[in-house]
Amino acid sequence: MDETESSSPDQNQTRWRPVRSHLRRVLGVLIEKAKTTPDAYPMTINGLVTGANQKTNRAPLMNMTPEEVQQAVDELREMGAVVELHGSGRVPKYRHQMYEWMGVEKAELAVMAELLLRGEQTVGELRSRVARMEPIAGLPELKPILQSLIDKNLVRSLTPEGRGQVVCHNLYKPRELEQVEAHATAAQSAPQPMAGSADDVELPSSADESIPVLLSGGMTTGWAHVSQDRFDQLQAEVTRLQAEVASLRDAMAKLEALLQ
């Protein structure tokens, strides 16, 4: 489906299923490139290899061969997730069928792409990364999108709602999903930093409500308190910087693809 077209998925026709890691990476790349570099979409096998093995916007890093990418594409075609196109050139190209295959809207598909490309992540990280594909202004706008994906069983929350909430996609194979959940549980139960010494820096607070913020400087780690307004300002600034970094990384990836 053309990214400029509105999508109206039929929920009764969705065909998604858990798939292995190579297939998830190819799907993520197809969605990403359709949204960020439409001039280079649909994609050839060589283009998919480059996208799958990018050093930016990917976790874990992979080193897929053309044969492995072709096998992944062939499996996805059999599932109805990818279609092959033959144009004026000799080399076949491929495009995704994710709107129909998953039964999602445009913003939902951008969220799925980031989860497929990077795996589990916090909601804050997800918001800043999705912004390079679809305009999602902030966490309040992202939350209903996430809830819709959770209702469709495409996304699951690995930790309780709130700051630092971690989510993942639901296309993992069962054993992989167990490992992802175990990792999230272990990270959540890890000991939290203890309060620092009297030498710790404390930021000024001017509002009635304050929030604990972890400060790191050299070998010293401690807790300070900042106002709710100041915290929101800092969070907005971090989100903006993350979006800029993501944009720069995407530009570097495009340059890398052109050089190759």
Side-chain angles (χ1 to χ4, degrees), residues 163 204-213 225-236:
R163 286 194 176 91
S205 176
S206 58
D208 293 334
E209 184 181 2
S210 62
I211 301 172
V213 178
H225 287 78
V226 299
S227 68
Q228 176 71 54
D229 289 342
R230 180 57 176 159
F231 181 89
D232 290 341
Q233 291 173 0
L234 292 171
Q235 187 178 49

Side-chain angles (χ1 to χ4, degrees), residues 177-188:
L177 185 56
E178 290 176 4
Q179 294 173 346
V180 169
E181 291 176 329
H183 181 269
T185 300
Q188 186 182 19

Side-chain angles (χ1 to χ4, degrees), residues 2-235:
D2 191 330
E3 285 297 324
T4 61
E5 297 177 8
S6 61
S7 53
S8 301
D10 184 345
Q11 298 299 319
N12 295 323
Q13 299 300 318
T14 57
R15 303 182 295 275
W16 72 270
R17 69 186 77 170
V19 293
R20 60 188 179 88
S21 61
H22 282 181
L23 276 65
R24 298 195 303 266
R25 177 58 57 87
V26 168
L27 287 176
V29 170
L30 283 169
I31 299 168
E32 176 193 50
K33 301 308 180 184
K35 289 181 176 292
T36 61
T37 56
D39 291 343
Y41 181 83
M43 302 184 70
T44 64
I45 290 297
N46 286 340
L48 283 168
V49 170
T50 300
N53 297 334
Q54 271 184 214
K55 300 300 187 292
T56 57
N57 300 324
R58 305 288 185 267
L61 297 180
M62 289 186 175
N63 188 26
M64 294 180 65
T65 65
E67 292 75 21
E68 289 172 328
V69 169
Q70 183 68 68
Q71 182 179 354
V73 166
D74 291 342
E75 291 182 41
L76 290 168
R77 288 177 59 204
E78 291 179 2
M79 298 177 190
V82 169
V83 295
E84 180 178 332
L85 303 177
H86 291 276
S88 56
R90 296 181 179 179
V91 180
K93 296 185 178 182
Y94 303 91
R95 66 183 176 106
H96 68 76
Q97 294 278 78
M98 289 299 95
Y99 289 112
E100 300 84 359
W101 201 67
M102 290 183 180
V104 294
E105 303 290 346
K106 295 182 74 171
E108 293 174 332
L109 190 60
V111 170
M112 290 301 299
E114 286 298 337
L115 291 173
L116 289 168
L117 291 172
R118 292 177 181 263
E120 68 275 15
Q121 52 197 287
T122 67
V123 173
E125 291 170 334
L126 185 60
R127 207 293 306 174
S128 63
R129 290 164 178 168
V130 169
R132 69 192 180 97
M133 297 190 194
E134 293 291 341
I136 299 178
L139 294 179
E141 290 76 20
L142 176 61
K143 287 182 178 179
I145 297 171
L146 274 178
Q147 188 57 56
S148 176
L149 290 169
I150 290 172
D151 293 341
K152 295 173 182 177
N153 203 31
L154 283 163
V155 167
R156 66 172 57 203
S157 181
L158 298 173
T159 62
E161 292 186 14
R163 286 194 176 91
Q165 179 187 6
V166 178
V167 296
C168 74
H169 64 74
N170 218 13
L171 271 67
Y172 288 108
K173 291 288 190 176
R175 182 170 297 182
E176 289 179 289
L177 185 56
E178 290 176 4
Q179 294 173 346
V180 169
E181 291 176 329
H183 181 269
T185 300
Q188 186 182 19
S189 60
Q192 298 298 313
M194 300 298 291
S197 66
D199 295 330
D200 293 335
V201 178
E202 188 169 25
L203 299 179
S205 176
S206 58
D208 293 334
E209 184 181 2
S210 62
I211 301 172
V213 178
L214 182 63
L215 299 178
S216 299
M219 297 299 293
T220 302
T221 300
W223 290 96
H225 287 78
V226 299
S227 68
Q228 176 71 54
D229 289 342
R230 180 57 176 159
F231 181 89
D232 290 341
Q233 291 173 0
L234 292 171
Q235 187 178 49

